[in-house]
Amino acid sequence: MATPAPTKIHYHKQSRELALTFADGQSFRLSAEYLRVHSPSAEVRGHGMQMPILQYGKKHVAIQNVEGAGNYALKISFDDGHDTGLYSWEYLYNIGKNHQELWKMYLDRLEKDGQTRDTSVIQIHQL
């Protein structure tokens, strides 16, 4: 079964969340930070089957622009300059549906790598 297309897309500037409602009735509110760290771009996902490149310090990132890419995806531009990668309907639906699990995996990876969501926190590593 094909992934349903969104019937409503709205960016809430104050909360920095993208609200998506799909044709099957599913709806998701995805933070700009969540979308940024899960960008489908090669810059984040890597090339091939490698582990995605950990994005950190993105807690305060916001979306500057959202535009349609054909009838199958969104192109999202963030205020940290990142604007590559197309968020297909299928990709958005999947990261929305699996939000809790993906967010926990991201937070666990940040902790394991000694990184933080906040750029104002300086990480000091012992040599």
Side-chain angles (χ1 to χ4, degrees):
M1 184 166 107
T3 302
T7 55
K8 185 176 180 187
I9 300 168
H10 180 74
Y11 181 57
H12 298 271
K13 211 173 207 175
Q14 187 84 14
S15 63
R16 295 189 319 255
E17 292 179 318
L18 186 67
L20 301 152
T21 302
F22 286 84
D24 67 352
Q26 287 279 347
S27 62
F28 310 107
R29 282 181 75 119
L30 306 174
S31 72
E33 177 188 16
Y34 181 73
L35 289 163
R36 175 62 179 84
V37 302
H38 287 94
S39 171
S41 71
E43 177 186 329
V44 174
R45 305 298 301 160
H47 298 279
M49 299 302 292
Q50 73 187 48
M51 172 77 81
I53 299 159
L54 181 63
Q55 304 296 299
Y56 54 88
K58 303 300 180 187
K59 182 177 183 178
H60 303 289
V61 74
I63 292 174
Q64 282 187 320
N65 191 44
V66 177
E67 58 186 278
N71 292 322
Y72 68 95
L74 293 178
K75 181 175 191 233
I76 302 174
S77 300
F78 297 89
D79 66 358
D80 68 350
H82 182 74
D83 66 355
T84 60
L86 295 178
Y87 293 77
S88 71
W89 304 149
E90 179 179 11
Y91 187 77
L92 288 165
Y93 192 90
N94 286 332
I95 66 171
K97 192 170 185 178
N98 298 299
H99 183 276
Q100 188 172 353
E101 177 184 345
L102 291 171
W103 188 245
K104 183 182 181 329
M105 287 170 49
Y106 172 68
L107 294 177
D108 289 348
R109 187 161 174 223
L110 278 178
E111 184 177 343
K112 178 180 174 270
D113 286 8
Q115 296 297 341
T116 179
R117 294 173 53 213
D118 197 341
T119 55
S120 65
V121 177
I122 298 173
Q123 296 293 315
I124 299 174
H125 297 279
Q126 295 284 334
L127 296 177

